Amino acid sequence: GINAEYMGEIVRVEPLLDVLARCQTFGLKSCLTIGKRQDLILQKMRNADQTLLRLNSKNSQKNEQLRKIQNKLGDVTRIQTTMSATRTLIHEILGMIKDIDSMLPESARSQLPAQIRRN
């Protein structure tokens, strides 16, 4: 076997070389395991990025749809406001017609449509 002198004593080297070899093997295996785990983590991160991009894209589409719906709702609100104002105007006109109707002689009054006299 291989021997060496250490502090005045003869020391067998084989057991030390064996321990060193096992340390190196363990170190190498550890490095490989860490490398594989890093690759796995990197892949998971890439997948997460892809998912995030898809979600952001969908979110943008939803926001666009929401904006269009809000615009339509705005249109509906404007139409409702216009209809309400028109209704008020019609009631005022009907009121004026009734006032005129009441001023007319009886013979002329019967010529007005009955619906206007009722309202």
Side-chain angles (χ1 to χ4, degrees), residues 71-102:
N71 286 346
K72 284 179 186 172
L73 279 175
D75 292 346
V76 169
T77 304
R78 282 189 289 279
I79 290 166
Q80 284 175 333
T81 305
T82 305
M83 282 172 67
S84 180
T86 305
R87 214 175 283 122
T88 304
L89 216 56
I90 289 170
H91 280 295
E92 286 175 14
I93 292 168
L94 286 175
M96 289 175 196
I97 290 172
K98 276 195 270 183
D99 289 346
I100 294 167
D101 187 34
S102 67

Side-chain angles (χ1 to χ4, degrees), residues 31-60:
C31 285
L32 287 171
T33 303
I34 289 167
K36 282 179 191 170
R37 286 185 187 161
Q38 282 178 332
D39 287 347
L40 201 66
I41 289 167
L42 195 64
Q43 188 57 52
K44 283 182 180 178
M45 281 169 70
R46 282 196 191 114
N47 291 347
D49 273 349
Q50 289 299 314
T51 303
L52 206 56
L53 283 171
R54 279 197 302 274
L55 287 175
N56 279 339
S57 174
K58 281 182 187 174
N59 203 25
S60 294

Side-chain angles (χ1 to χ4, degrees), residues 23-37:
C23 286
Q24 284 177 328
T25 303
F26 179 76
L28 195 62
K29 281 182 183 173
S30 297
C31 285
L32 287 171
T33 303
I34 289 167
K36 282 179 191 170
R37 286 185 187 161

